[in-house]
Amino acid sequence: MDEGALPWWQNAVFYQIYVRSFADSDGDGVGDLEGIRSRLGYLELLGVDALWLTPFFRSPMADHGYDVADPRDVDPLFGDLAAFDALVADAHGHGLKVTIDLVPNHTSDQHVWFQQALRSAPGSRERGRYLFRDGQGHGGSLPPNNWTSVFGGPAWTRVPDGQWYLHLFAPQQPDLNWDDSEVRADLVQTLRFWLDRGVDGFRIDVAHGMAKPAGLPDMDPNAVAIMAGTQSHDVVDPRFDNDGVHDIHRLIRKVLDGYPGTMAVGEIWVERDDRFAFYVRPDELHLGFNFKLVEADFDADSVRRAIDRSLTAVQATGAAPTWTLSNHDVVRHVTRYGGGDLGTRRARAMALVELALPGVTFIYNGEELGLPNVDLPDWALQDPVWERSGHTERGRDGCRVPLPWEGEIPSFGFSRAGAAWLPMPTHWAGLTVEAQLEDPESMLSLYRHALEIRKTSGAFGGEELEWYGAPPGCFAFRRKGGGLICALNTSAAPVPLPPGEILLASGPMEGNQLPPETSVWLV
Ligand code: NOJ
């Protein structure tokens, strides 16, 4: 990095690739590393700066790869190490940085350590790498505490000798004991393994997990009730955001500091902004995902609040703010905003709001095509949430349906096979990359145009925003450094446009008026 230059991620646009669903090269209906390599030209054309690849490591796929059996190898479903090296080399050739997922909170139950633990006695060194405990009640037949799994049901599973092990997610994802020095040393080895292969950074899964409080105290029973079936956590919840987690982030940071130009972004579901900020202190993570825009309704006041809170949360830390509208865990935003034409118009408006903000943007694969969530039939559902919740929560498969690339019928060029791992709607022909690429009105063209302007215009300079007065249901802000103005109308009526020359709009203007469900960039 040049002396004094900003690090590459400071204003980067990341593109999240859900590996199973991006592109399939070998015709098994599941996306893979070669598939990604074959589509790098598309990503360069789109104009993103960096890729985030979801887990492609050896895994029995109980949680589609977030259950890692060997963190230093590629699962044969996705390719092999040679395919990974070729992907990194080619991505760099296309000017794209490559970041990968790291899953330190838990392993797969098929990980050699867990298999050894099952074969070993209570109190053994092998069990010490995980969180095995005796149960409560007569004969230890009740779980050691009242913690629930994020995927539903208790967070404890009993093994044949009577002990219980902790899993904050599925039973196939036992939590590691981060007080164990071997667990720490192994993470360092994993980091170095991928850094030596040329990766530019990591997305840290459940970065607010890992450390557990001494004695594993019960959760507040109200917290159990409030949070059942949700992914949102707060400080009354002893499962997450324990102070000990920051030592682990310092450990990660030390390793990364030995590889200049590399970074880490943590998945941090922490409600309190002051606690969120701890994760991005100068000796911890470079960036923290914040999910405020995911949680905000399509309403100018809620969006403005989300923006203000996100900016304030990181202000004192020097870390860049981050922005996300969708990812592989949440309902796609076209659908959250109402679906159909309305959802699409709103999604277009929010894309321009997000890309106007200072800091780092994460685009989830398919949002640039305007993909909605898919209502899948029961038989197709694969997310462990569906089973764990006793079929009351449908889970996250609906936002993970593979990408449509070309043609008129499923699998729309995603795979040589007609069938993809999740069924693709037959009516997606109009949403393929092929159908959108040359259409100036398409969602894809909007994203390409916006990303190009963001990269080439001086108007996006500076980290600070100033808010203008705006009619109810609307807002307008100006980037203080560069002068870009972004206005959003979430009200039911057209409003006067702020003064300035239009750079880009999410939909047609009505004369000098900004129509409902529309946003605009001006200078
Ligand atoms: C967060 C990941 O984003 C999600 O997909 C996964 O199921 C959990 N962590 C458990 O690893």
Side-chain angles (χ1 to χ4, degrees):
M1 194 170 58
D2 300 343
E3 199 71 25
L6 287 177
W8 63 261
W9 57 85
Q10 195 76 15
N11 290 298
V13 177
F14 283 71
Y15 185 86
Q16 179 193 352
I17 295 186
Y18 194 67
V19 177
R20 291 181 80 81
S21 300
F22 188 67
D24 169 25
S25 72
D26 60 5
D28 63 358
V30 177
D32 49 43
L33 298 181
E34 270 300 308
I36 300 171
R37 195 160 77 94
S38 73
R39 299 290 186 180
L40 288 172
Y42 166 74
L43 296 168
E44 188 177 354
L45 194 74
L46 176 60
V48 296
D49 304 302
L51 310 180
W52 152 27
L53 311 182
T54 55
F56 50 81
F57 318 111
R58 273 198 188 261
S59 165
M61 307 289 165
D63 187 18
H64 291 329
Y66 282 97
D67 48 322
V68 181
D70 180 351
R72 295 186 286 277
D73 200 3
V74 173
D75 195 278
L77 188 63
F78 298 131
D80 55 20
L81 283 170
F84 180 75
D85 292 341
L87 171 57
V88 172
D90 278 16
H92 286 162
H94 283 270
L96 297 163
K97 303 283 185 191
V98 179
T99 67
I100 64 173
D101 232 300
L102 193 75
V103 189
N105 181 69
H106 43 265
T107 68
S108 159
D109 61 348
Q110 300 306 310
H111 190 290
V112 61
W113 280 355
F114 195 71
Q115 289 299 310
Q116 286 169 357
L118 288 181
R119 289 194 299 269
S120 304
S124 60
R125 151 104 221 77
E126 287 78 7
R127 290 224 170 160
R129 298 189 189 107
Y130 294 90
L131 293 156
F132 279 85
R133 294 288 184 275
D134 293 331
Q136 303 187 84
H138 181 67
S141 61
L142 297 171
N145 68 21
N146 70 352
W147 292 10
T148 52
S149 146
V150 173
F151 291 162
W156 295 93
T157 290
R158 201 167 193 199
V159 299
D161 61 34
Q163 276 210 310
W164 299 75
Y165 68 88
L166 178 72
H167 51 86
L168 293 184
F169 296 89
Q172 296 90 337
Q173 293 167 297
D175 278 49
L176 285 162
N177 171 17
W178 275 89
D179 292 333
D180 184 288
S181 57
E182 223 183 319
V183 167
R184 290 175 185 242
D186 192 73
L187 178 73
V188 171
Q189 206 184 328
T190 300
L191 288 165
R192 290 192 188 286
F193 179 87
W194 296 108
L195 288 164
D196 290 338
R197 297 195 103 88
V199 304
D200 302 289
F202 298 91
R203 176 263 189 190
I204 317 268
D205 190 59
V206 205
H208 57 309
M210 299 183 277
K212 308 293 186 299
L216 306 179
D218 276 348
M219 301 168 70
D220 177 340
N222 293 323
V224 179
I226 293 164
M227 288 179 296
T230 76
Q231 285 247 357
S232 94
H233 315 300
D234 66 24
V235 290
V236 300
D237 183 350
R239 300 173 303 172
F240 295 102
D241 192 29
N242 290 288
D243 290 340
V245 77
H246 297 289
D247 279 347
I248 303 166
H249 292 309
R250 288 191 192 99
L251 174 79
I252 293 172
R253 180 58 178 261
K254 259 208 189 107
V255 176
L256 295 181
D257 282 348
Y259 292 78
T262 63
M263 52 77 69
V265 52
E267 181 202 24
I268 306 167
W269 288 93
V270 169
E271 184 50 31
R272 267 176 51 186
D273 295 341
D274 54 340
R275 295 204 58 94
F276 180 90
F278 291 155
Y279 288 80
V280 289
R281 286 178 288 202
D283 60 346
E284 297 196 36
L285 298 168
H286 301 80
L287 298 172
F289 273 106
N290 94 71
F291 300 105
K292 300 277 180 292
L293 284 184
V294 172
E295 288 164 340
D297 292 336
F298 184 79
D299 160 73
D301 290 342
S302 336
V303 176
R304 179 174 169 170
R305 253 194 319 275
I307 294 172
D308 276 335
R309 272 190 68 183
S310 307
L311 292 174
T312 315
V314 292
Q315 210 160 38
T317 65
T322 69
W323 311 103
T324 300
L325 289 171
S326 280
N327 65 30
H328 65 294
D329 291 329
V330 300
V331 172
R332 282 188 177 275
H333 55 275
V334 164
T335 304
R336 290 203 314 271
Y337 296 151
D341 285 348
L342 178 70
T344 301
R345 288 182 69 186
R346 292 175 167 180
R348 292 174 65 95
M350 284 303 295
L352 292 199
V353 169
E354 183 184 42
L355 288 167
L357 292 165
V360 183
T361 304
F362 289 85
I363 294 175
Y364 176 48
N365 59 195
E367 79 171 65
E368 80 281 16
L369 303 176
L371 298 187
N373 240 59
V374 179
D375 278 331
L376 292 162
D378 291 2
W379 60 261
L381 298 180
Q382 304 196 20
D383 187 348
V385 169
W386 173 239
E387 289 302 328
R388 295 276 303 165
S389 69
H391 295 185
T392 56
E393 302 272 334
R394 299 191 73 71
R396 302 159 293 177
D397 295 310
C399 67
R400 297 173 175 179
V401 171
L403 260 62
W405 291 92
E406 61 219 5
E408 302 296 321
I409 52 166
S411 61
F412 299 109
F414 163 72
S415 170
R416 289 202 299 277
W421 70 278
L422 286 173
M424 300 172 70
T426 47
H427 60 268
W428 270 11
L431 292 176
T432 63
V433 172
E434 179 183 53
Q436 298 198 37
L437 212 48
E438 301 297 328
D439 172 4
E441 307 301 323
S442 71
M443 185 73 91
L444 180 55
S445 295
L446 181 75
Y447 269 78
R448 283 180 64 194
H449 209 155
L451 290 172
E452 190 187 336
I453 296 175
R454 182 179 154 112
K455 200 165 284 175
T456 52
S457 155
F460 291 73
E463 303 304 312
E464 282 178 64
L465 296 187
E466 75 186 319
W467 294 97
Y468 289 170
C474 301
F475 69 54
F477 63 78
R478 182 173 162 277
R479 294 278 296 263
K480 269 193 180 172
L484 177 82
I485 295 164
C486 176
L488 170 72
N489 182 359
T490 65
S491 78
V495 296
L497 273 170
E501 181 198 330
I502 294 183
L503 279 182
L504 187 61
S506 70
M509 291 299 108
E510 289 173 14
N512 255 350
Q513 306 267 301
L514 177 63
E517 337 286 356
T518 309
S519 67
V520 64
W521 289 353
L522 308 113
V523 278

